[in-house]
């Protein structure tokens, strides 16, 4: 009996010692760690090597010495297509390391995920974009701590049904996967109550199902580079959204429902076919960044000049011939891009915008006298100008 008790006491003490050596850092702490950028550098200081970046180094073989890196928590292996990734994550190599939290295996031509990843019980972020993946294996669902999954620009057709069990998942990037079954996708993401950020750029979407309005916890939505001719009004009922990107679509009109996004801080609508905006945009009191570049606006809508916290406004590559005097109401505006328009003159009100720090004017038919006037004004105000 005493022998048995002594045995379990020893096991318990071993457990404590083992876990005492493991100092899992937060994501913020990992961002401040030194980045080791070669095998030689890492092996010279194995105990302190927490972040190892071997991206795009033309690696062709695995080294058994990697099992010396006992405290490794971030591993970048992107852009090494000649490396046997399946072998790399076996216990003989990186698979022996217990505390990996972030793995980057992007741009490696992978047709399937290395099964050894399942050993990383502390894994929080997996970046596997720019590969040739056609499916995501079910074992991904065993990684219960996953917070970020990035599979952009693959050949995915479906997601595993079990992905809804990843209760910690807050960021999902499926951009560049036009073959995805979006009906299945949206039926599943509606069950992901922790999802905060969703990237669906370049997916050839012509419409977005009404069920997206169920994602009331969503804070960031990126639909850039699709085929949306008229973003549906229910898209603007995601009331927790802080960032919305509809760049590079075919939108000709934006619904008045835009004004419902009262928590929105970043709105990107560049490279569409917009000439007007809804009056309701004036209700976006938290908006700090607005990108309207690459459209066909003949003038700046007065409603935009009612945004009290706007700090950056991009109006480049439009058809602007004048700016309204109401632009003076943008009390916090710091950056204004007016390049490549048809402006011959700027309103005097612009001279009195106290927060303005930088203005870009290149590509406009401004007269010589107007340019000289603006140079004097902006020099006196210490505003950087680019003609």
């Amino acid at each position: 009996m005493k022998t048995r008790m002594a045995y379990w006491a020893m096991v318990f003490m071993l457990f404590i010692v083992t876990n005492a050596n493991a100092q899992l850092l937060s994501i913020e702490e990992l961002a401040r760690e030194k980045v080791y950028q070669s095998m030689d550098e890492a092996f010279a200081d194995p105990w302190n090597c927490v972040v190892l970046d071997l991206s795009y180094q033309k690696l062709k073989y695995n080294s058994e010495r990697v099992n010396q890196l006992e405290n490794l928590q971030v591993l970048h292996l992107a852009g090494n297509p000649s490396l046997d990734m399946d072998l790399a994550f076996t216990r003989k190599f990186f698979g022996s390391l217990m505390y990996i939290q972030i793995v980057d295996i992007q741009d490696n031509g992978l047709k399937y995920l290395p099964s050894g990843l399942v050993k990383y019980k502390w894994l929080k972020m997996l970046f596997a974009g720019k590969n040739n993946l056609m499916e995501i294996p079910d074992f991904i669902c065993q990684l219960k701590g996953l917070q970020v999954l990035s599979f952009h620009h693959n050949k995915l057709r479906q997601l595993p049904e079990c992905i809804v069990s990843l209760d910690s998942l807050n960021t999902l990037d499926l951009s560049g996967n036009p073959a995805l079954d979006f009906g299945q996708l949206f039926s599943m993401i509606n069950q992901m109550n922790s999802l905060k950020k969703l990237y669906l750029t370049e997916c050839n979407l012509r419409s977005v199902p009404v069920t997206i309005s169920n994602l009331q916890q969503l804070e960031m939505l990126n639909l850039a580079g699709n085929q949306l001719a008229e973003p549906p009004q229910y898209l603007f009922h995601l009331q927790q959204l802080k960032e919305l990107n509809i760049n590079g679509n075919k939108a000709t009109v934006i619904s008045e429902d835009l004004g419902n996004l009262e928590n929105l801080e970043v709105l990107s609508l560049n490279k569409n076919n917009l000439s007007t905006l809804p009056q309701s945009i004036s209700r976006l009191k938290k908006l700090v960044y607005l990108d309207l570049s690459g459209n066909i606006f003949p003038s700046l809508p007065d409603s935009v000049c009612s945004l009290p916290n706007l700090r950056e406004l991009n109006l480049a590559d439009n058809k602007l011939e004048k700016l309204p005097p109401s632009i003076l109401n943008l009390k916090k505006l710091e950056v204004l891009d007016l390049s490549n328009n048809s402006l011959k003159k700027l309103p005097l009100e612009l001279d009195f915008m106290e927060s303005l720090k930088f203005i870009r004017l290149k590509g406009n038919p401004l007269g010589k006298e107007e340019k000289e006037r603006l140079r004097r004004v902006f020099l006196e105000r210490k505003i950087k100008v680019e003609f």
Side-chain angles (χ1 to χ4, degrees):
M1 184 68 175
K2 289 182 179 180
T3 302
R4 183 179 239 179
M5 290 178 65
Y7 169 80
W8 284 112
M10 182 179 66
V11 170
F12 181 71
M13 288 303 297
L14 180 61
F15 176 83
I16 291 176
V17 170
T18 301
N19 282 273
N21 289 333
Q23 296 183 358
L24 287 174
L25 302 180
S26 68
I27 299 301
E28 292 75 16
E29 290 171 328
L30 288 173
R32 295 192 293 267
E33 282 290 313
K34 175 183 175 180
V35 179
Y36 290 73
Q37 296 185 315
S38 71
M39 289 286 200
D40 289 342
E41 187 181 8
F43 297 152
D45 189 18
W47 184 255
N48 292 312
C49 182
V50 175
V51 180
L52 179 59
D53 188 351
L54 301 176
S55 301
Y56 299 95
Q57 296 192 18
K58 299 181 180 180
L59 299 178
K60 295 183 178 180
Y61 63 90
N62 289 288
S63 170
E64 292 185 37
R65 296 176 66 190
V66 298
N67 57 29
Q68 299 174 19
L69 309 177
E70 297 180 16
N71 291 315
L72 193 68
Q73 297 183 37
V74 180
L75 175 60
H76 295 279
L77 289 173
N80 289 291
S82 297
L83 192 65
D84 186 335
M85 288 292 169
D86 211 34
L87 184 62
F89 290 98
T90 60
R91 292 196 179 278
K92 189 175 181 180
F93 302 103
F94 290 108
S96 65
L97 306 178
M98 300 292 292
Y99 307 115
I100 299 290
Q101 296 192 65
I102 300 174
V103 170
D104 178 3
I105 49 174
Q106 299 183 91
D107 200 12
N108 280 304
L110 298 176
K111 294 183 178 180
Y112 54 88
L113 282 182
S115 58
L117 292 171
V118 75
K119 301 181 181 74
Y120 295 146
K121 66 176 182 177
W122 302 113
L123 193 64
K124 293 180 180 177
M125 299 183 179
L126 175 60
F127 299 93
K130 297 177 71 175
N131 282 296
N132 294 310
L133 302 171
M134 297 184 69
E135 63 179 15
I136 300 172
D138 286 348
F139 74 68
I140 202 79
C141 305
Q142 297 180 42
L143 301 170
K144 297 299 184 183
L146 273 172
Q147 298 176 11
V148 176
L149 268 179
S150 177
F151 291 105
H152 70 88
H153 295 92
N154 277 280
K155 299 177 180 179
L156 298 178
R157 296 178 179 176
Q158 285 192 326
L159 299 185
E161 296 286 345
C162 63
I163 202 169
V164 300
S165 69
L166 296 177
D167 294 333
S168 297
L169 192 65
N170 60 56
T171 301
L172 181 61
D173 187 353
L174 297 170
S175 299
N177 285 284
L180 263 174
D181 181 341
F182 290 100
Q184 184 230 25
L185 169 66
F186 280 101
S187 69
M188 288 193 296
I189 62 177
N190 282 334
Q191 303 174 55
M192 298 179 189
N193 295 325
S194 297
L195 197 63
K196 303 290 185 185
K197 298 180 180 181
L198 178 60
Y199 297 81
L200 292 174
T201 71
E202 300 174 30
C203 284
N204 202 32
L205 288 171
R206 297 182 181 275
S207 63
V208 181
V210 67
T211 51
I212 197 172
S213 60
N214 295 330
L215 298 176
Q216 287 300 313
Q217 78 284 1
L218 210 61
E219 295 180 359
M220 188 274 182
L221 178 61
N222 194 330
L223 295 170
N226 283 293
Q227 304 292 322
L228 301 175
E230 183 175 348
Q233 62 183 45
Y234 46 79
L235 196 63
F236 306 117
H237 289 258
L238 299 171
Q239 298 198 358
Q240 298 306 312
L241 272 188
K242 295 180 179 179
E243 183 174 346
L244 176 61
N245 188 328
I246 315 180
N247 292 344
N249 278 273
K250 297 182 177 181
T252 57
V253 64
I254 300 294
S255 167
E256 281 287 342
D257 291 60
L258 174 65
N260 293 321
L261 302 179
E262 295 183 357
N263 288 303
L264 203 64
E265 298 174 4
V266 175
L267 177 59
S268 296
L269 297 170
N270 79 342
K271 294 184 180 177
N272 280 283
N273 294 303
L274 298 169
S275 59
T276 62
L277 288 175
Q279 183 66 34
S280 64
I281 195 173
S282 61
R283 288 158 42 195
L284 306 183
K285 304 301 184 184
K286 296 183 180 181
L287 201 66
V288 296
Y289 176 86
L290 177 59
D291 187 352
L292 300 175
S293 62
N295 282 283
I296 51 175
F297 287 95
S299 61
L300 176 64
D302 275 322
S303 53
V304 171
C305 299
S306 300
L307 299 170
N309 288 299
L310 196 65
R311 286 178 167 79
E312 185 167 348
L313 175 59
N314 190 342
L315 292 164
D317 301 296
N318 274 282
K319 298 183 180 296
L320 298 177
E321 295 183 355
K322 62 179 181 178
L323 294 176
S326 57
I327 195 170
L328 183 60
N329 296 329
L330 296 175
K331 302 294 186 183
K332 295 186 178 180
L333 194 68
E334 297 178 359
V335 178
L336 177 60
D337 191 341
L338 297 168
S339 55
N340 301 319
N341 277 283
S342 300
L343 296 165
K344 296 180 180 179
K345 194 173 183 179
L346 298 185
L348 293 177
E349 285 80 4
L350 208 63
D351 301 358
F352 302 98
M353 297 185 70
E354 296 181 358
S355 296
L356 197 61
K357 296 178 180 177
F358 176 68
I359 183 168
R360 183 177 284 116
L361 294 168
K362 65 179 182 179
N364 281 282
L366 294 166
K368 182 178 179 181
E369 290 185 6
E370 179 68 357
K371 281 187 178 181
E372 289 302 317
R373 182 187 75 82
L374 293 172
R375 279 196 181 97
R376 287 195 306 270
V377 170
F378 294 142
L379 180 62
E380 182 180 334
R381 296 273 313 282
K382 297 182 179 179
I383 296 171
K384 183 179 178 182
V385 60
E386 186 178 292
F387 287 109

